[in-house]
Amino acid sequence: MAEAFYTPEEELRERIDWLIRLGWLTVLGALFIVLVVSVLLPGVLAWPSLLGAIVGLSLSNLVVFFYFRHLHFPLPLGEGRVRVSQRHYLGLAHALLVLNTLFLTALLHFLGGLETPLFIFYLIYVVIASTLFPRSSSFAYAGLVSGLYLVLLLLEWFRVIPHYNLTGFRSPLRFQQPVHVFVTSITLIIAAFATAYFVSRIVSRLRARERELMEANLSCEMRGEELTELNKRLREMDKARTQFIRVVTHELRAPVAAIQSYLKLILEGYVPPEKEREIIRRAEQRALDQLALIGDLLYMARLEEPGAEAKVESVDLAQVLREVGDLLRGQAEEKGLTFRVEIAPDVPPVNADLEHIKQLWMNLISNAIKYTMAGGSVVVSLSRNARGIMGTVQDTGIGISPEDLPRIFEQFYRAENAKALEQHGTGLGLSIVKRIVETYGGRIWVESEPGKGSTFTFLLPAGTSV
Ligand code: ADP
């Protein structure tokens, strides 16, 4: 679309092309007028001089034409040709127009000077200058044609150059009568300046409109591109959402299907009475799995909800860690793990939602307990460094294989070794943690070695008082 607009150089080239064609039209027009006058007033025209002027204009037009072609189709740069500048084209256009006005003056001279009404053609050049060049040039051309005409009349009047009489057309003495010289020259001067004024005004308004239109078009184009980009992003989001719904539905269906088949076994009498409790306990465990999944999904939905109100306040990370640590310590010790919490003394608060910070510690610590076998240890530490507040949860558990490492923060992703050790899990805990950390401008990463243990580290910017 942008190609529809001309660059300033292209526009100037087009104008010059047009001026050259106008030059040929002037040659033809002059020939026609001379022929008509010679038929109407036989034997009065200075034929040789007139033809000389016409041939002169044709030749100069030809020279400009070839020069322009040479500029117009330059060899590729770097092969000895220079780049054609805008000034160069502008100079050429002015040269063409001045040449034409000079020719008209010569024509007027040979066609009777003051006696011929053809001086009106000067106005055409003023109109052309007003449309092609800036406003100041319009007035310069009005001055030029007025000056040329005045000089011609004065030179003839004072007989510096001969006066060609159009015998039989007007009084032969007219060119030396002050009133005629004055009235004719004043008529041209006023007409030339009025033309320059009106035409240049109209043209400058048109140009302003054109510019506005171009700008509007350009911004429309940019909007169009933005919209296309937005549309693409929306489509991608829509795809991701559909994919998410598919996975969620699958995850939700699995426990229900398991519960339904346990119940069916009991109802149809396939389970001996002594095993019934065990089957019901398994069904209950699957129901609990599903409740955990629904809980995590709801939590995720709240986090993702656009404009969801997070109650941001100044949160003491150390205090929250102590509370969560006390809550989970029993679970760790019950499993036969050493559990330790190390908190540096100078940890400043963060600006965050208290619930989010609780969830962050809960998920990381309960994972460490879940994926560490009896006899192992879980060490949680909190400190501050130059980059912010740093929390680490270190365990001596099953670890994560290098292939699984890049994927464990994905929703629903569970590594095979984790599934083998612990059947129950939603695969959502770490994606929730990552989302929380990023919400507050932090980042989280993990280092792990299979069979040796894992260290999860997060960094949060220290908060200012809220
Ligand atoms: P879940 O624990 O319910 O499976 P998470 O999103 O919390 O889901 O964790 C995703 C996966 O990351 C886990 O299934 C496990 O493979 C791995 N993982 C997380 N924490 C640990 C850890 N402390 N040690 C080893 N693997 C872990």
Side-chain angles (χ1 to χ4, degrees):
M1 242 169 136
E3 291 81 61
F5 296 114
Y6 291 124
T7 63
E9 275 87 5
E10 279 171 336
E11 204 177 328
L12 264 172
R13 275 213 298 267
E14 183 153 301
R15 287 179 195 175
I16 293 171
D17 204 36
W18 187 71
L19 274 174
I20 293 173
R21 268 182 276 149
L22 192 86
W24 294 121
L25 213 72
T26 314
V27 169
L28 286 179
L31 274 172
F32 176 74
I33 289 169
V34 169
L35 275 174
V36 170
V37 176
S38 64
V39 170
L40 293 176
L41 304 168
V44 295
L45 287 185
W47 266 102
S49 316
L50 272 170
L51 282 181
I54 294 175
V55 169
L57 179 69
S58 311
L59 283 179
S60 42
N61 222 20
L62 260 180
V63 170
V64 175
F65 173 72
F66 282 115
Y67 180 62
F68 178 60
R69 270 184 66 100
H70 157 88
L71 287 183
H72 203 349
F73 305 105
L75 288 174
L77 288 172
E79 288 188 26
R81 297 292 173 101
V82 285
R83 187 184 286 280
V84 184
S85 72
Q86 199 178 338
R87 277 182 65 158
H88 208 111
Y89 279 127
L90 210 63
L92 196 62
H94 278 301
L96 263 172
L97 210 58
V98 171
L99 209 78
N100 275 278
T101 53
L102 285 173
F103 167 73
L104 180 62
T105 313
L107 206 67
L108 289 180
H109 172 56
F110 297 125
L111 281 175
L114 184 71
E115 288 165 47
T116 172
L118 297 182
F119 68 89
I120 215 78
F121 284 126
Y122 274 132
L123 295 184
I124 294 179
Y125 295 115
V126 177
V127 171
I128 292 170
S130 307
T131 42
L132 295 193
F133 306 123
R135 202 139 184 236
S136 53
S137 297
S138 327
F139 291 106
Y141 274 88
L144 174 73
V145 299
S146 306
L148 282 175
Y149 192 50
L150 211 62
V151 167
L152 173 70
L153 297 191
L154 291 176
L155 288 179
E156 287 193 14
W157 185 1
F158 294 111
R159 295 204 178 276
V160 180
I161 53 172
H163 172 72
Y164 295 90
N165 226 322
L166 281 188
T167 318
F169 182 58
R170 280 192 179 143
S171 153
L173 294 175
R174 205 179 156 108
F175 79 102
Q176 280 190 319
Q177 288 168 345
V179 62
H180 279 299
V181 174
F182 181 72
V183 169
T184 320
S185 52
I186 279 294
T187 309
L188 175 71
I189 291 168
I190 293 174
F193 277 93
T195 308
Y197 176 74
F198 288 117
V199 175
S200 62
R201 269 205 74 137
I202 294 169
V203 168
S204 66
R205 286 179 64 164
L206 282 175
R207 281 193 191 137
R209 283 282 144 76
E210 195 184 26
R211 249 196 317 277
E212 276 168 24
L213 222 98
M214 266 170 72
E215 277 163 16
N217 213 322
L218 215 71
S219 82
C220 272
E221 252 175 62
M222 273 154 62
R223 281 278 147 81
E225 275 165 26
E226 268 171 35
L227 278 178
T228 318
E229 183 56 29
L230 219 70
N231 203 5
K232 199 173 135 214
R233 286 222 322 262
L234 272 176
R235 268 211 298 267
E236 280 166 8
M237 271 166 69
D238 196 47
K239 212 168 132 198
R241 204 150 288 251
T242 314
Q243 169 85 353
F244 179 75
I245 291 172
R246 208 170 52 78
V247 177
V248 168
T249 328
H250 175 80
E251 295 288 322
L252 282 173
R253 196 170 176 271
V256 179
I259 294 168
Q260 193 260 343
S261 63
Y262 288 139
L263 293 178
K264 196 172 172 200
L265 283 177
I266 295 172
L267 282 175
E268 291 184 0
Y270 290 113
V271 182
E274 69 276 12
K275 289 242 169 178
E276 253 177 31
R277 259 189 94 75
E278 164 64 11
I279 296 295
I280 292 172
R281 205 196 52 74
R282 280 194 213 166
E284 188 205 14
Q285 182 56 55
R286 300 313 303 263
L288 288 174
D289 285 349
Q290 197 177 35
L291 276 178
L293 180 61
I294 291 170
D296 278 355
L297 281 173
L298 279 176
Y299 200 87
M300 287 248 325
R302 274 211 305 279
L303 276 178
E304 304 267 340
E305 203 177 326
E309 280 292 300
K311 277 211 324 273
V312 177
E313 55 190 324
S314 186
V315 176
D316 183 356
L317 267 175
Q319 180 55 31
V320 182
L321 173 56
R322 268 183 223 108
E323 284 168 19
V324 174
D326 288 345
L327 213 71
L328 297 177
R329 185 181 305 277
Q331 201 179 315
E333 285 169 357
E334 209 174 281
K335 205 176 167 187
L337 305 178
T338 314
F339 186 78
R340 219 168 54 237
V341 174
E342 296 168 353
I343 300 174
D346 57 344
V347 181
V350 290
N351 293 337
D353 185 322
L354 178 67
E355 277 310 310
H356 290 170
I357 299 300
K358 267 190 195 156
Q359 191 75 26
L360 168 66
W361 283 128
M362 282 288 279
N363 284 3
L364 288 178
I365 300 172
S366 55
N367 270 355
I369 297 172
K370 188 159 65 173
Y371 297 117
T372 305
M373 274 88 68
S377 71
V378 172
V379 179
V380 188
S381 57
L382 181 68
S383 61
R384 97 169 287 179
N385 64 23
R387 289 173 297 164
I389 302 170
M390 195 163 84
T392 55
V393 179
Q394 191 178 10
D395 65 54
T396 55
I398 57 171
I400 303 159
S401 73
E403 306 85 65
D404 290 320
L405 267 181
R407 299 199 59 191
I408 55 162
F409 289 99
E410 284 176 21
Q411 289 166 343
F412 301 109
Y413 190 79
R414 302 193 72 211
E416 285 309 320
N417 62 345
K419 281 195 229 169
L421 179 75
E422 177 59 65
Q423 204 189 343
H424 311 289
T426 61
L428 286 175
L430 283 184
S431 58
I432 290 176
V433 164
K434 186 166 188 276
R435 180 67 208 243
I436 291 174
V437 171
E438 286 173 355
T439 299
Y440 300 110
R443 59 192 193 90
I444 180 162
W445 66 96
V446 56
E447 289 147 300
S448 183
E449 212 179 309
K452 296 222 162 137
S454 316
T455 305
F456 284 82
T457 311
F458 66 82
L459 202 66
L460 280 175
T464 46
S465 46
V466 182

